[in-house]
Amino acid sequence: KCLNHESGCKFTGTKKELERHLDNECEEQETGCPFEGCGERNHRTVISQHKTGCAFRKVPCDHCTQGVPFNAMVQHLSVCDKVPVPCPNGCGQNPPRGELSVHKETDCGEETVSCEVPGCGQQVKRKEMEGHEEESMKKHMRLLTTQLLTNKRETQLLINKRETTKIVKVYMPEYETKAAGLNKGDRLTSAAFSFQNWRFHIWVYPKGEIIASEGKASV
């Protein structure tokens, strides 16, 4: 006979069956809520109903799918790396929080960036860089010629010193999505990396440069 027979449980069985019944089945047996942090205790039938609305029950985050206690979801959303957040530069895009720094470094049109031509030093918003490059073409050609001569000398020195090659993994987030919306001649810019005290970016033209053959990407 069940220990909770006076409360209405009709179970009868062996001692071993009774133990299993009390541990897992008896609706009149007092038990605790299984969710971590919840101290609720009541009859199993009441706890079963309680669990569906327990503040400590785990629910999946809509952005990262991590299981989060219901009563901690607001706090989780304030730090979750997958939650879209407005770009602080006001560019109108909402990258995931964890990719915000990469967005600013490689994609944000409102981010102030330095002209990549060595010796120029001009700083403009990324969306204005193309105009700067067109306006400063003659100046840039002079600077690049000087830099090419310098690089030639430095390259020879590196060969003489038998410097090893540096292998770099270039990260371009959401490449396929961004590339799909580009036209021929449009480019994507990688995150910056350093080598021999110089700062580099990789420019990728998914549909190719203007002079590239059809169907060919350019780097």
Side-chain angles (χ1 to χ4, degrees), residues 106 116 170-173 175-176 178-180 182-191 193 201-210 212 216-219:
T106 64
E116 295 172 348
V170 178
Y171 178 53
M172 302 189 78
Y175 172 82
E176 293 183 358
K178 294 176 181 177
L182 299 181
N183 299 313
K184 191 171 185 178
D186 294 339
R187 75 189 184 206
L188 296 175
T189 304
S190 75
F193 59 93
H201 291 271
I202 298 295
W203 287 350
V204 178
Y205 299 78
K207 303 296 175 59
E209 294 182 274
I210 297 299
K216 301 292 185 180
S218 302
V219 178

Side-chain angles (χ1 to χ4, degrees), residues 57 74 112 117 131 152:
R57 70 188 186 278
V74 173
T112 299
V117 175
K152 185 176 181 179

